[in-house]
Amino acid sequence: MNAADNTENTPDTRTAIMEATYAALCKHGYANLTMQAIADEFDKTKAVLHYHYDTKEDLLVAFLDYLLDRFLDTLDIETIDDPEERLVALVDALLLGTHEPRSETDHWEYHTALLDIRAQAPHNDAFREQLTTNYRHIEATAAAIIEDGIERGVFREVDPERAATWLFATINGARLHQVTLDESDVAEDVRAAIVEEWLDWLRRPNGE
C-alpha cells in the first residue's frame, strides 16, 4: 500500500465520505444518488470512494451504521439521572433531532432521504439487516430507560420491551407523516401526545 492509500484509509477520510453521502442523499434522494454525486460533495475523487466501497449499496450500508454511531455519540443522555427526563430527551432526539447541531430543515431533509433507503429494505437484504440492527439498538436504549424507571418506582409495572416497541413505532409513524403529508406540525403534535399523555399513563400512580 503506498502513501496515498494510507491517506485515503484514515478515520477522517471515512468520516468525510459519510458526511458527503449525507449531503448527496439529502440533495438527490436515493433514486438519483450516484458515487459521483457523493464525490462531488467533498475534496476526493470517485476513485477514493471505490477504494473503500465497491458499490453504492456497500457505501449506504456503511452509512446506516455510521448514522447509528453518530446518533449514540451525540445523544448524551447518560448524564440525566431522572428516567422520565432521560426518556423525554430520547424522544426529542429521535423525533425532533434536538441532539444534532444541524438545522430543523436539514433534519427533515435527512429523514426524507432516509425514507428512500427504508423503501428499498423489503427488497434489499443488506439494507434491511442494517436498519434492523439500528432499530434494535435504539429500542433497547428506550427499554433500558423504562426498566430503570420501573425499578426506581417512577414508572408503573409494564413490559419494557413492549412499551419501547410502541414508543419507537409511534415516533417512526410521526416521522413518516411529517415527510410525506402536507402537515408541518405532526412531529410536534405527536411529541406533545407522548410527553403529556403517554408519559402521564406510564408514571406510577401515587400509592401503587
Side-chain angles (χ1 to χ4, degrees):
M1 184 179 291
N2 59 36
D5 289 340
N6 284 325
T7 301
E8 292 168 358
N9 203 30
T10 64
D12 287 346
T13 297
R14 291 181 182 276
T15 299
I17 290 172
M18 295 299 106
E19 288 299 305
T21 302
Y22 183 106
L25 190 59
C26 288
K27 183 181 294 185
H28 301 285
Y30 177 84
N32 296 315
L33 184 68
T34 63
M35 297 293 264
Q36 184 59 58
I38 296 170
D40 289 343
E41 295 295 332
F42 75 135
D43 60 351
K44 303 289 184 181
T45 66
K46 188 169 67 171
V48 174
L49 297 182
H50 285 293
Y51 173 83
H52 292 283
Y53 309 101
D54 291 334
T55 65
K56 182 177 78 170
E57 176 184 289
D58 293 336
L59 174 52
L60 288 177
V61 170
F63 174 68
L64 291 172
D65 182 57
Y66 166 78
L67 290 179
L68 175 62
D69 288 341
R70 190 180 69 178
F71 178 80
L72 297 175
D73 286 344
T74 57
L75 186 57
D76 192 28
I77 61 173
E78 295 305 318
T79 58
I80 303 174
D81 181 65
D82 180 72
E84 183 174 331
E85 292 180 8
R86 205 181 323 140
L87 194 58
V88 170
L90 178 62
V91 169
D92 287 346
L94 290 169
L95 193 52
L96 305 177
T98 54
H99 65 300
E100 281 276 16
R102 304 181 192 276
S103 69
E104 182 178 355
T105 299
D106 288 343
H107 174 70
W108 290 115
E109 283 183 352
Y110 153 68
H111 279 294
T112 300
L114 186 58
L115 180 61
D116 280 346
I117 299 178
R118 291 173 66 92
Q120 310 305 314
H123 316 289
N124 187 305
D125 291 342
F127 287 174
R128 184 167 62 252
E129 181 178 349
Q130 187 60 53
L131 285 167
T132 300
T133 296
N134 291 17
Y135 170 85
R136 287 177 176 167
H137 198 112
I138 297 172
E139 183 184 50
T141 300
I145 296 171
I146 294 170
E147 184 172 11
D148 180 44
I150 294 169
E151 292 175 352
R152 294 167 65 171
V154 176
F155 298 146
R156 66 170 70 236
E157 292 285 342
V158 298
D159 183 321
E161 287 76 20
R162 183 179 295 178
T165 296
W166 180 92
L167 179 62
F168 200 22
T170 300
I171 290 171
N172 275 339
R175 294 191 304 205
L176 176 64
H177 279 58
Q178 183 83 23
V179 300
T180 58
L181 302 180
D182 189 19
E183 298 286 344
S184 60
D185 297 326
V186 171
E188 291 285 355
D189 289 345
V190 171
R191 190 266 183 195
I194 290 172
V195 172
E196 297 170 15
E197 298 173 26
W198 183 74
L199 270 178
D200 185 58
W201 166 82
L202 186 62
R203 292 188 197 100
R204 183 176 183 177
N206 291 332
E208 185 178 283

